[in-house]
Amino acid sequence: MQYRRLGSSGLQLSALSFGAWVTFGNQLGRSAARELIALAWDNGINFFDNAETYANGEAERVMGDVLADLRLPRDGWCVSSKVFFGSVEHPRPTQKGLSRKHVVDACHAALKRLRVDYLDLYYCHRPDPDTPIAETVLAMDGLIRQGKVLYWGTSEWSADQIRDAHAIARAHHLHAPTMEQPEYNLLHRERVEVEYADLYADLGMGTTIWSPLASGLLTGKYNQGVPQDSRLAQEGYSWLKQGVLGDAKSGRMNRARRFCAIAAELGVAPAPLAIAWCLRNPNVSCVLLGASRAAQLTQNLEALAIGAAVDEPTWERIEAATAA
Ligand code: NDP
């Protein structure tokens, strides 16, 4: 495994880390989740990502039970939660968003579900237009001072919102956000590469990027339609299907097919090649992997070796083939 610093902080996360979205509590129960976390740990993964909203809290319960059951040393791994969407089906106003009340309540609930004394990383899962950023910065700073959170960050905030949070923190000697969790893959590059371009050096911002495989599209599994046992066939995820497969104008299917053709030419599986491409970006602190079975995770862990073997002209061809 390779370890990278989370921005300018001293925290070193595994370049390939592991998340629970869609899988834990939905597709997978405790025994399959246990197999995946044990496999991840045995391969050097030290960061497990979660959120209050994943399976309405069940993903955190599953992860917490598994981590406790495996008896892995608490100082050897990091776990996260995210606050914003709430953890119940129809949240009341105080059960969602980034008010001080919900940020604090959600932290306490996540600590219980994950069965830990502190969250290593705690994210604002989206910006909240109904809460002043200063209120959220103060709430996060308070949790850090109480030892309940070590590093806080954002997910899919605009560059301006992240700068605002830093300015408020600086002005009042509060803890500023350390990291952002944006989507980043061969089909979705703009925010990480263009919008955030100055933030890495200016603010020391790290990134823990999500959906490196565009929810599986870059594995080629959707090239001939949607397999029954795949994410996009899951009940309640039809909203995701449209975004992932896109329409004719987006060309996402064709871009993915062209990518898979190059992987076939190289004689490697598309999934680890797509993940290896994400790792090339030095502003990526870690790539969050998702997997619904052990064989996928094993294959995706080949990304580090595959990435080292691909030459520059080939990466250029891959980028040209997947460009919008
Ligand atoms: P990916 O884009 O890598 O998609 C993972 C899914 O792709 C798997 O669950 C599996 O789905 C399929 N897959 C993975 N590897 C293979 C393979 N080798 N061969 C075939 N199929 C494969 O990542 P995610 O979208 O899961 O995102 C990763 C993590 O990022 C999440 O778990 C979560 O922690 C975080 N995240 C954060 C978000 C945010 O807003 N902050 C949003 C989304 C994710 P299948 O069931 O079809 O087999």
Side-chain angles (χ1 to χ4, degrees):
M1 182 52 65
Q2 179 191 110
Y3 297 89
R4 295 185 179 187
R5 280 175 64 189
L6 182 62
S8 59
S9 82
L11 188 68
Q12 295 197 34
L13 298 179
S14 47
L16 300 176
S17 291
F18 186 60
W21 182 50
V22 188
T23 52
F24 285 26
N26 281 323
Q27 287 169 285
L28 310 175
R30 279 165 180 69
S31 117
R34 189 182 196 281
E35 186 189 4
L36 286 166
I37 291 198
L39 179 64
W41 171 261
D42 288 346
N43 282 281
I45 288 181
N46 73 354
F47 170 34
F48 302 103
D49 183 64
N50 222 315
E52 60 166 354
T53 188
Y54 295 169
N56 282 335
E58 190 57 17
E60 292 186 338
R61 272 184 217 104
V62 169
M63 189 176 272
D65 288 353
V66 167
L67 286 168
D69 186 47
L70 286 170
R71 291 177 170 71
L72 306 177
R74 180 66 184 94
D75 55 356
W77 47 269
C78 299
V79 72
S80 71
S81 182
K82 307 186 203 85
V83 54
F84 177 73
F85 292 105
S87 59
V88 292
E89 208 52 60
H90 300 289
R92 290 172 181 236
T94 58
Q95 294 179 310
K96 60 180 179 182
L98 299 179
S99 66
R100 182 199 308 276
K101 172 153 177 71
H102 187 57
V103 166
V104 170
D105 284 342
C107 175
H108 290 159
L111 291 174
K112 272 204 196 106
R113 288 189 295 254
L114 288 163
R115 299 171 63 172
V116 290
D117 297 327
Y118 64 90
L119 299 172
D120 299 273
L121 299 93
Y122 191 35
Y123 297 88
C124 299
H125 210 157
R126 291 293 180 270
D128 179 1
D130 296 322
T131 303
I133 289 181
E135 179 173 335
T136 305
V137 175
L138 259 162
M140 285 293 186
D141 178 77
L143 290 171
I144 290 180
R145 285 173 203 263
Q146 291 167 43
K148 291 174 182 166
V149 168
L150 302 188
Y151 301 87
W152 80 274
T154 57
S155 179
E156 299 293 351
W157 281 32
S158 71
D160 287 346
Q161 288 164 331
I162 296 168
R163 279 194 187 280
D164 285 352
H166 273 263
I168 291 162
R170 219 173 12 250
H172 301 282
H173 304 288
L174 307 172
H175 289 93
T178 300
M179 69 286 177
E180 159 65 26
Q181 187 168 130
E183 179 179 1
Y184 188 54
N185 56 57
L186 274 161
L187 307 179
H188 189 97
R189 302 172 51 176
E190 168 103 6
R191 178 159 256 180
V192 166
E193 294 180 9
V194 182
E195 183 182 342
Y196 292 162
D198 296 333
L199 301 189
Y200 308 111
D202 290 359
L203 309 178
M205 184 176 89
T207 61
T208 61
I209 64 104
W210 59 268
S211 285
L213 300 175
S215 266
L217 181 61
L218 290 167
T219 67
K221 73 196 307 167
Y222 297 115
N223 285 354
Q224 264 79 48
V226 176
Q228 266 317 303
D229 61 351
S230 66
R231 171 178 293 187
L232 296 189
Q234 295 300 303
E235 209 184 308
Y237 285 87
S238 51
W239 61 271
L240 185 65
K241 196 163 148 186
Q242 166 77 22
V244 170
L245 302 183
D247 54 18
K249 202 167 133 243
S250 74
R252 283 172 67 90
M253 281 305 313
N254 285 336
R255 291 157 71 197
R257 286 194 185 104
R258 289 197 293 270
F259 169 70
C260 292
I262 298 179
E265 228 181 86
L266 298 175
V268 298
L273 184 64
I275 292 163
W277 176 84
C278 299
L279 286 171
R280 275 168 50 79
N281 186 331
N283 297 315
V284 167
S285 315
C286 80
V287 172
L288 291 173
L289 304 178
S292 60
R293 54 207 82 164
Q296 293 176 349
L297 183 55
T298 301
Q299 184 179 70
N300 296 350
L301 286 163
E302 291 167 15
L304 287 163
I306 288 176
V310 176
D311 61 20
E312 221 30 69
T314 306
W315 286 123
E316 282 167 21
R317 269 182 68 210
I318 288 171
E319 294 196 351
T322 51

